[in-house]
Amino acid sequence: MPSLKQQHIGLAVLAGALFISTCVMLGGVSSQLQFGGDNNCLLYVENYHKPDPNAGGYVFDAYSPSCLATLNIGGIGLSLMFLAIGVRYYYYHKQVTMSQQLIQLLAICASVWTFISFVIAAVLSAGLNQTCHEFEKSGYSCADVFRSGFSVNSKPGGPKSLAGASSGVGAAWAISIFWGLYCAYEWYAFRTQSQQWWSSL
């Protein structure tokens, strides 16, 4: 079994990986999956069509709240991870053993957030897949439609990157994996603490 110092080094590495992944996800969603002054979301796009056969551009419906929800939940998740690891480092530097109840609380919180992270990753994946499927009905590739940019009320916007958006989605899956690893660590720590408690009886 790794020493306590090695465990905390591993947690620091995990927190760093989660931080990087969260930055990539938030950046991909905010910069590549939102457009317009109201930050319209490019997930779950519907009704992509030309309003007039002779019109030069396409219109579509984009009313999904998924982008905003992802940005908010991503920020909360990152704060929770640093808070949880901060608690562990506090006890480590104070050289005080964490109580069984506190470890169990951290494990339960990690389990809940692992599930939430998985749901967010699934929502992003499904939303981007639906959007690309809708765009490709025009005969153009999804990447080309993103590259052409999007406008609101005839105000043109800059080009978007499908690769950047996909990176954000991939980072969301990485976040769910990192939370899963942290969750497994906390339940392992709880199991070890429980065994030590029973052995002391």
Side-chain angles (χ1 to χ4, degrees):
M1 179 180 176
S3 67
L4 196 59
K5 182 178 181 179
Q6 290 173 328
Q7 291 179 39
H8 282 80
I9 291 174
L11 286 176
V13 172
L14 183 62
L18 181 66
F19 175 76
I20 293 172
S21 298
T22 301
C23 288
V24 172
M25 181 189 74
L26 297 182
V29 172
S30 63
S31 66
Q32 305 304 326
L33 286 173
Q34 293 189 132
F35 70 99
D38 294 330
N39 291 326
N40 301 283
C41 185
L42 286 169
L43 296 174
Y44 298 99
V45 162
E46 297 178 335
N47 197 27
Y48 188 69
H49 68 286
K50 279 190 174 184
D52 185 326
N54 298 320
Y58 288 79
V59 297
F60 57 89
D61 298 328
Y63 303 116
S64 175
S66 301
C67 292
L68 180 60
T70 297
L71 295 175
N72 290 335
I73 292 174
I76 293 171
L78 187 61
S79 299
L80 284 176
M81 172 61 83
F82 280 111
L83 177 62
I85 292 180
V87 169
R88 281 209 158 269
Y89 269 88
Y90 173 81
Y91 278 88
Y92 173 68
H93 285 290
K94 290 289 184 179
Q95 296 184 343
V96 176
T97 302
M98 292 179 66
S99 68
Q100 188 177 348
Q101 291 79 9
L102 180 55
I103 296 175
Q104 185 178 31
L105 177 61
L106 290 176
I108 292 172
C109 291
S111 299
V112 171
W113 212 260
T114 297
F115 175 74
I116 291 174
S117 299
F118 176 82
V119 170
I120 287 297
V123 166
L124 288 177
S125 293
L128 186 57
N129 286 338
Q130 177 175 319
T131 293
C132 281
H133 177 71
E134 192 70 22
F135 286 163
E136 287 166 357
K137 290 180 180 178
S138 65
Y140 297 100
S141 71
C142 187
D144 287 340
V145 176
F146 266 77
R147 198 175 298 115
S148 66
F150 304 92
S151 61
V152 179
N153 298 326
S154 301
K155 295 180 180 179
K160 299 292 183 180
S161 169
L162 178 59
S166 298
S167 295
V169 175
W173 285 111
I175 290 169
S176 68
I177 293 172
F178 293 143
W179 267 104
L181 291 173
Y182 173 66
C183 176
Y185 169 79
E186 289 296 359
W187 281 115
Y188 176 76
F190 174 71
R191 178 173 175 271
T192 302
Q193 186 84 341
S194 298
Q195 290 175 340
Q196 291 175 352
W197 183 80
W198 280 105
S199 299
S200 65
L201 295 180

